[in-house]
Amino acid sequence: MMPTTTEHHQSAGEVRVGIASWYQTDRHRVCASNFIPIGSRVLVRFGEFSTVVRVVGTGPREDLGRIIDLSPDAFHALAPLSRGIITVEVTILKD
């Protein structure tokens, strides 16, 4: 069973693999996650592509199997927005 946000937040160096989606925002290189503390920087990888984003909010819908929502520019650095969702590796970085 996956821990909920009240049970466990990941810390620097920890890695999680799961589904990423994108959400509409005017902010650049940001994301929302329920398992990473707000303010953290994370490295998101999809195949040979990667981007670094900062967590600025909570989300996405965990019941849909998603672990992170990316801003459009961050998602586009990994794959075309038309993909909608992708399977990514998320690593929390030390500040």
Side-chain angles (χ1 to χ4, degrees), residues 5 19 36-37 39 85:
T5 56
I19 298 172
I36 306 168
I85 59 172

mmCIF file of all heavy atoms in Angstrom, residues 5 19 36-37 39 85:
data_model
loop_
_atom_site.group_PDB
_atom_site.id
_atom_site.type_symbol
_atom_site.label_atom_id
_atom_site.label_comp_id
_atom_site.label_asym_id
_atom_site.label_seq_id
_atom_site.Cartn_x
_atom_site.Cartn_y
_atom_site.Cartn_z
ATOM 1 N N THR A 5 -0.207 11.201 2.051
ATOM 2 C CA THR A 5 0.593 12.387 2.367
ATOM 3 C C THR A 5 0.730 12.599 3.864
ATOM 4 O O THR A 5 1.700 13.179 4.303
ATOM 5 C CB THR A 5 -0.021 13.636 1.721
ATOM 6 O OG1 THR A 5 -1.365 13.747 2.152
ATOM 7 C CG2 THR A 5 0.054 13.569 0.219
ATOM 8 N N ILE A 19 3.194 7.928 -12.655
ATOM 9 C CA ILE A 19 2.601 8.669 -13.763
ATOM 10 C C ILE A 19 2.622 10.169 -13.484
ATOM 11 O O ILE A 19 2.269 10.610 -12.397
ATOM 12 C CB ILE A 19 1.156 8.200 -14.016
ATOM 13 C CG1 ILE A 19 1.172 6.726 -14.417
ATOM 14 C CG2 ILE A 19 0.491 9.043 -15.103
ATOM 15 C CD1 ILE A 19 -0.199 6.112 -14.512
ATOM 16 N N ILE A 36 5.795 14.983 -1.907
ATOM 17 C CA ILE A 36 7.027 15.768 -1.798
ATOM 18 C C ILE A 36 6.689 17.085 -1.111
ATOM 19 O O ILE A 36 5.732 17.759 -1.495
ATOM 20 C CB ILE A 36 7.625 16.056 -3.189
ATOM 21 C CG1 ILE A 36 7.819 14.754 -3.969
ATOM 22 C CG2 ILE A 36 8.940 16.807 -3.055
ATOM 23 C CD1 ILE A 36 8.125 14.968 -5.437
ATOM 24 N N PRO A 37 7.459 17.487 -0.109
ATOM 25 C CA PRO A 37 7.172 18.743 0.591
ATOM 26 C C PRO A 37 7.211 19.959 -0.345
ATOM 27 O O PRO A 37 8.076 20.042 -1.232
ATOM 28 C CB PRO A 37 8.282 18.829 1.635
ATOM 29 C CG PRO A 37 8.768 17.432 1.815
ATOM 30 C CD PRO A 37 8.601 16.775 0.482
ATOM 31 N N GLY A 39 8.103 23.407 -1.793
ATOM 32 C CA GLY A 39 9.369 24.119 -1.752
ATOM 33 C C GLY A 39 10.551 23.271 -2.207
ATOM 34 O O GLY A 39 11.605 23.794 -2.526
ATOM 35 N N ILE A 85 -0.218 12.031 -20.356
ATOM 36 C CA ILE A 85 0.432 11.426 -19.202
ATOM 37 C C ILE A 85 1.652 10.642 -19.675
ATOM 38 O O ILE A 85 1.688 10.154 -20.808
ATOM 39 C CB ILE A 85 -0.504 10.506 -18.394
ATOM 40 C CG1 ILE A 85 -1.038 9.374 -19.266
ATOM 41 C CG2 ILE A 85 -1.635 11.293 -17.754
ATOM 42 C CD1 ILE A 85 -1.805 8.311 -18.496
#
